[in-house]
Amino acid sequence: KNIYQNILKSISAKERLLAVLIDPDKFSIKNTKNFIARVNASIITHIFVGGSTVETGVTNILVAKIKKQTKLPVILFPGDVTQITNHADGLLFLSLISGRNPDYLIGKHVESISILRKTKLEIISTGYILVENGKKTAVQRVTHTQPMNRAAIQNIIDTAKAGELLGMKWIYLEAGSGAKHPVTTAIINAVKQELQIPLIVGGGIKSQQQLFDAYNAGADLVVIGTAFENNESFFETLK
Ligand code: 1GP
């Protein structure tokens, strides 16, 4: 437990954090043992589980199976209330502050409380900012919101800062799963300079170079999903 406090400690010790994102919708549950063994042997520090569209009940079974194979913190990254399970350690309580859809700003959160009350999950308030990446993403489709223009850097900075001032524990700059272009280093750098809270970056990061670029620009925690799904040897290439 104490996921967030441990993250703050790691960041002050200048450690770089890396989360693998497992999307239950794209993941074969039979592969869990083998996949998590590779995660355990890699530089990955956190496991995120979630997706934009996941069949009800699948996340619960998958997370229980993952927890049996690893000591790494397992954190839900839910696209919907149905993905909440007490088998995980924590939950990103995501408010999509780049969009103007009340359901994803506060509505789903209110809906989730009766479920969260029955869990012991560590809830981590997260300002979630979708940045345009060159193609339409699942987040955009499901939430009916527009991503932020990648050229409008000041607007992205101001959105992140507003999230911090609302009391969010960290900001997640998201290009979307399978993004053509990751969030640019210029955006990461500009947002990082403005924030006192940690910065998560994800979406479209497929190489060690892109990972380093994100860290060097100021990302505290990077999230990678697709590159691990498509190429399991990617685990070994990261050092
Ligand atoms: C998506 O940021 C995550 O929510 C990870 O994206 O699948 O492109 O690595 P990728």
Side-chain angles (χ1 to χ4, degrees):
K1 295 282 158 171
N2 291 320
I3 301 167
Y4 183 72
Q5 285 308 321
N6 289 335
I7 284 170
L8 293 183
K9 272 188 220 153
S10 300
I11 293 171
S12 44
K14 305 246 178 295
E15 284 166 30
R16 289 170 158 182
L17 303 170
L18 176 63
V20 57
L21 172 65
I22 301 178
D23 182 343
D25 195 39
K26 298 185 197 152
F27 188 79
S28 162
I29 199 157
K30 282 187 246 129
N31 193 23
T32 312
K33 203 169 171 189
N34 168 45
F35 190 88
I36 299 300
R38 283 173 174 244
V39 169
N40 290 336
S42 76
I43 60 166
I44 289 166
T45 55
H46 294 78
I47 299 174
F48 285 5
V49 181
S52 295
T53 49
V54 179
E55 210 184 310
T56 307
V58 175
T59 308
N60 188 40
I61 298 166
L62 177 61
V63 172
K65 215 165 167 196
I66 293 171
K67 278 299 293 176
K68 283 196 190 128
Q69 313 287 341
T70 188
K71 291 199 171 69
L72 293 176
V74 178
I75 304 170
L76 299 173
F77 173 58
D80 201 82
V81 179
T82 59
Q83 293 175 36
I84 299 172
T85 162
N86 200 20
H87 290 301
D89 301 301
L91 171 129
L92 298 184
F93 208 45
L94 300 157
S95 183
L96 184 60
I97 57 176
S98 55
R100 295 295 176 268
N101 181 345
D103 283 346
Y104 291 90
L105 283 162
I106 180 71
K108 300 269 180 192
H109 313 72
V110 176
E111 236 180 88
S112 71
I113 297 302
S114 59
I115 304 167
L116 290 181
R117 214 176 260 133
K118 294 183 202 131
T119 73
K120 292 203 176 84
L121 295 166
E122 180 177 332
I123 312 294
I124 312 175
S125 172
T126 306
Y128 192 47
I129 299 179
L130 185 61
V131 180
E132 164 214 355
N133 80 80
K135 71 174 195 189
K136 194 166 178 171
T137 62
V139 181
Q140 203 179 330
R141 201 181 59 243
V142 170
T143 64
H144 303 290
T145 66
Q146 291 305 311
M148 299 194 75
N149 179 345
R150 50 204 251 128
I153 297 189
Q154 191 60 48
N155 201 13
I156 299 173
I157 297 171
D158 292 353
T159 304
K161 192 67 188 174
E164 176 177 299
L165 295 178
L166 278 167
M168 288 162 178
K169 294 283 177 40
W170 53 7
I171 296 295
Y172 190 147
L173 289 176
E174 170 73 278
S177 190
K180 203 161 153 194
H181 311 290
V183 177
T184 64
T185 52
I187 296 173
I188 299 170
N189 195 269
V191 170
K192 178 65 185 177
Q193 303 228 355
E194 191 81 20
L195 293 182
Q196 310 293 320
I197 52 175
L199 183 61
I200 309 178
V201 175
I205 295 173
K206 298 181 264 318
S207 68
Q208 174 144 297
Q209 188 57 50
Q210 287 174 322
L211 175 65
F212 285 171
D213 288 348
Y215 286 136
N216 291 337
D220 296 299
L221 186 151
V222 171
V223 185
I224 300 181
T226 308
F228 290 123
E229 273 163 28
N230 290 350
N231 171 18
E232 289 196 12
S233 64
F234 189 53
F235 286 111
E236 284 85 44
T237 64
L238 297 181
K239 302 218 174 55

